[in-house]
Amino acid sequence: ETIEGLLRKLERIKARAGSRGGAIVGQIIQYKDYDDSFDNNCKVTSDFSKLRGVLEGFRATGGATNYCCQCEDMQYGVKCALANMKQSQYKDYYHLMVIIGDYPCHGDNPDERCYEATNPKERRKIDDLWNDYFSQMKSFEHLQVWFMPVSPGEIRLTYNRFKNNLDSVNTTDVIDANGDASTFCEMVTGVYSSMIGMTAKGNKYK
């Protein structure tokens, strides 16, 4: 399944729904760890071939750097995504935020040294930053957050934090390190159908 193929499926669902809702757009944001350097200049676009180009440029390396823990700086990814989503032309859209990863954000594993720590890039307590981001998420009328845990699936610790602070937070089963494009596409089309008032027959992500 290609990202362009996913767009075609979403467009068919939108057409059956009488073209309700805003245009179908997307963004892809990567996150790693505090000391990792990478290009994250991805804007919201309706050109899914551009999104494919961004995705193909990702390298699943880095993370868990210099902090002696198996955790990541997910807060940076959420911050970048929200900055784009809050733009006036997109604020009232139906939003689906999909978070894919293996290990949790710093501050979510009580067995790691970064638990209850400070985010060194933002110079704020991790908990305070999350409270700020959750407040921003609650300002959207239509927003669902989905986690797709990659093996070993410890990112579920951060999923638990989201679940305790937001209403529409869900998770798929843990997938292997190679990913599962069919699970991703099925989840996205099912959730999109539900958000615009359609029913995707036979889809378990309603």
Side-chain angles (χ1 to χ4, degrees):
E1 182 73 76
T2 66
I3 195 167
E4 291 92 343
L6 172 60
L7 174 60
R8 288 191 292 271
K9 289 182 177 180
L10 297 176
E11 288 175 336
R12 288 195 293 269
I13 294 170
K14 181 180 175 67
R16 291 200 302 270
S19 297
R20 71 172 66 105
I24 299 174
V25 298
Q27 60 174 325
I28 298 177
I29 303 292
Q30 66 175 321
Y31 65 89
K32 294 191 178 184
D33 207 353
Y34 298 131
D35 293 339
D36 290 313
S37 178
F38 52 93
D39 179 12
N40 214 9
N41 187 27
C42 180
K43 296 179 171 59
V44 176
T45 179
S46 59
D47 186 346
F48 275 40
S49 63
K50 288 184 179 180
L51 295 180
R52 175 167 52 83
V54 171
L55 188 60
E56 290 174 345
F58 284 4
R59 296 292 178 266
T61 58
T65 56
N66 296 333
Y67 288 87
C68 301
C69 63
Q70 292 292 328
C71 299
E72 311 291 354
D73 181 21
M74 188 189 300
Q75 290 185 317
Y76 173 73
V78 171
K79 172 186 175 181
C80 293
L82 287 173
N84 286 339
M85 292 163 58
K86 290 191 302 179
Q87 295 179 44
S88 58
Q89 64 266 45
Y90 305 122
K91 187 69 167 58
D92 296 329
Y93 276 40
Y94 291 87
H95 294 278
L96 170 60
M97 179 185 290
V98 183
I99 300 174
I100 304 173
D102 46 9
Y103 288 96
C105 183
H106 289 287
D108 286 333
N109 188 341
D111 296 328
E112 297 287 3
R113 62 180 294 181
C114 62
Y115 191 59
E116 297 184 344
T118 295
N119 183 315
K121 293 177 71 173
E122 300 292 336
R123 298 182 180 180
R124 293 178 60 190
K125 284 286 189 180
I126 290 173
D127 287 350
D128 292 342
L129 268 178
W130 276 132
N131 289 336
D132 183 10
Y133 297 151
F134 290 144
S135 177
Q136 293 180 46
M137 291 182 193
K138 290 175 183 177
S139 71
F140 291 92
E141 183 176 359
H142 305 290
L143 169 64
Q144 284 200 33
V145 180
W146 276 79
F147 279 74
M148 287 192 69
V150 176
S151 181
E154 293 185 23
I155 195 175
R156 285 178 176 272
L157 292 169
T158 301
Y159 160 76
N160 292 337
R161 179 194 287 270
F162 273 63
K163 191 69 174 176
N164 290 333
N165 286 275
L166 298 171
D167 292 331
S168 298
V169 182
N170 306 273
T171 183
T172 67
D173 294 331
V174 177
I175 58 178
D176 64 33
N178 293 321
D180 188 334
S182 62
T183 296
F184 175 78
C185 291
E186 183 180 0
M187 180 269 291
V188 171
T189 54
V191 173
Y192 180 67
S193 296
S194 176
M195 293 180 78
I196 66 173
M198 298 289 289
T199 300
K201 293 183 178 180
N203 198 306
K204 61 182 177 181
Y205 302 114
K206 293 179 184 177

